[in-house]
Amino acid sequence: MGYTNIPKNTNDAIDAVVDIDNRQLSQGSGGINTHKWEDWHWLLAESAMWTSYRVILVLYREAYANKKTITMAERAIVKQTLQAAREYSGHGVTGHRLFLKIAAHGDTQDWNIANIKLGTPLAKKPALAQGDSPVALQPVVNIKTVLSNEMVLTVENPQTPGKLALPKGMKFSKVYRYVGALAPKSTADFDFYGNAKRGKLAVNFDGIDLSGTTKLFVWFFARYESNKGELGQAGGWVSKQILS
């Protein structure tokens, strides 16, 4: 599976390497100073190796897209770098199984960015038409605005990344919250906060003492509730420091 996760088209392949690198270097579920690659159970060396492929490819990204300005030698570098990335991340004998790790430990947005379907709920379309079941859908929470004592969240539809409309058959995007100095251990540590309206939710921290010297952070995740009252899986966690 992993060997073919980087697209065959060179321009698409370069974009994929860059997008995955951006994702793996983004904040992990443990909050500040953690990374997605840790959530995926990548090693630090694996993360660094992926970034090294990205660094090389972006040097030739614009020239390759143009095609008229790239030399044969530069084309060869791009081809060799993409081949190395494919073999490093998924070769049957020597590969590091990076995409298999994303499939096992990632969330829906990770799978979409890395083009992973096999082994995930994306392998087949959720049977919403038959049962309005949210079980395979994990909404994506983004923290869009951070203000004093307030944050504004968006909740995206995993079937249509970037869109906030509820999937067919869903009644609510339910948002859960945890506040603390240390990361939560599981979703059981979270409390329900509220339902996103049209994919947006303003969150305040009234009643929480923010005057101390200890930095407090907030973690969020969301899950869908169907028209029939069935709760779906928890989506990936996001976190930010709370501003007093």
Side-chain angles (χ1 to χ4, degrees), residues 143-153 201-206 210 216 218 220 240-244:
I143 301 174
K144 290 296 186 180
T145 306
V146 179
L147 303 171
S148 177
N149 198 48
E150 184 180 80
M151 294 182 186
V152 177
L153 315 178
L201 180 65
V203 177
N204 67 63
F205 302 97
D206 295 343
L210 303 176
L216 291 179
V218 60
F220 298 102
K240 286 286 186 182
Q241 182 180 342
I242 302 172
L243 301 181
S244 58

Side-chain angles (χ1 to χ4, degrees), residues 1 5 20 23-24 26-29 35-42 97-122 135-140 158 233-237:
M1 175 199 70
N5 271 62
I20 293 169
R23 185 65 173 172
Q24 67 111 350
S26 67
Q27 182 175 290
S29 61
H35 303 89
K36 268 290 181 179
W37 61 262
E38 296 171 279
D39 292 346
W40 297 343
H41 293 203
W42 285 16
R97 309 294 199 276
L98 298 188
F99 290 109
L100 289 175
K101 291 180 180 181
I102 299 174
H105 305 291
D107 57 34
T108 304
Q109 190 171 8
D110 300 333
W111 299 332
N112 278 317
I113 289 173
N115 191 31
I116 292 172
K117 294 181 174 61
L118 186 62
T120 76
L122 301 184
V135 69
L137 292 175
Q138 296 173 312
V140 179
Q233 297 177 5
W237 302 357

Side-chain angles (χ1 to χ4, degrees), residues 22 33 183 233:
N22 288 336
N33 297 324
Q233 297 177 5

Side-chain angles (χ1 to χ4, degrees), residues 26-235:
S26 67
Q27 182 175 290
S29 61
I32 305 300
N33 297 324
T34 67
H35 303 89
K36 268 290 181 179
W37 61 262
E38 296 171 279
D39 292 346
W40 297 343
H41 293 203
W42 285 16
L43 303 175
L44 176 59
E46 292 171 334
S47 168
M49 182 62 75
W50 192 268
T51 298
S52 73
Y53 297 135
R54 181 251 184 89
V55 169
I56 295 171
L57 292 171
V58 294
L59 293 174
Y60 307 103
R61 189 181 194 179
E62 185 175 348
Y64 203 98
N66 186 8
K67 294 188 181 296
K68 295 180 180 180
T69 61
I70 193 167
T71 67
M72 292 299 294
E74 290 171 336
R75 283 177 180 270
I77 292 172
V78 171
K79 182 178 179 180
Q80 291 166 6
T81 302
L82 286 173
Q83 183 65 14
R86 289 187 173 100
E87 293 185 355
Y88 184 84
S89 62
H91 191 274
V93 177
T94 62
H96 285 234
R97 309 294 199 276
L98 298 188
F99 290 109
L100 289 175
K101 291 180 180 181
I102 299 174
H105 305 291
D107 57 34
T108 304
Q109 190 171 8
D110 300 333
W111 299 332
N112 278 317
I113 289 173
N115 191 31
I116 292 172
K117 294 181 174 61
L118 186 62
T120 76
L122 301 184
K124 58 182 179 180
K125 293 182 178 180
L128 298 181
Q130 289 74 26
D132 291 340
S133 175
V135 69
L137 292 175
Q138 296 173 312
V140 179
V141 176
N142 294 296
I143 301 174
K144 290 296 186 180
T145 306
V146 179
L147 303 171
S148 177
N149 198 48
E150 184 180 80
M151 294 182 186
V152 177
L153 315 178
T154 61
V155 182
E156 294 183 5
N157 180 348
Q159 295 178 315
T160 54
K163 304 295 184 182
L164 304 183
L166 287 167
K168 182 180 178 181
M170 299 303 107
K171 185 177 183 179
F172 296 120
S173 296
K174 306 183 77 67
V175 176
Y176 296 76
R177 183 182 78 171
Y178 171 85
V179 174
L182 300 176
K185 295 181 179 179
S186 73
T187 55
D189 295 328
F190 289 71
D191 294 313
F192 173 66
Y193 183 85
N195 296 319
K197 305 294 185 182
R198 298 180 180 178
K200 295 184 178 181
L201 180 65
V203 177
N204 67 63
F205 302 97
D206 295 343
I208 297 174
D209 185 5
L210 303 176
S211 62
T213 57
T214 301
K215 294 181 180 179
L216 291 179
F217 300 86
V218 60
W219 283 260
F220 298 102
F221 74 82
R223 59 164 35 111
Y224 286 124
E225 180 180 338
S226 74
N227 290 326
K228 297 180 179 180
E230 183 182 5
L231 288 177
Q233 297 177 5

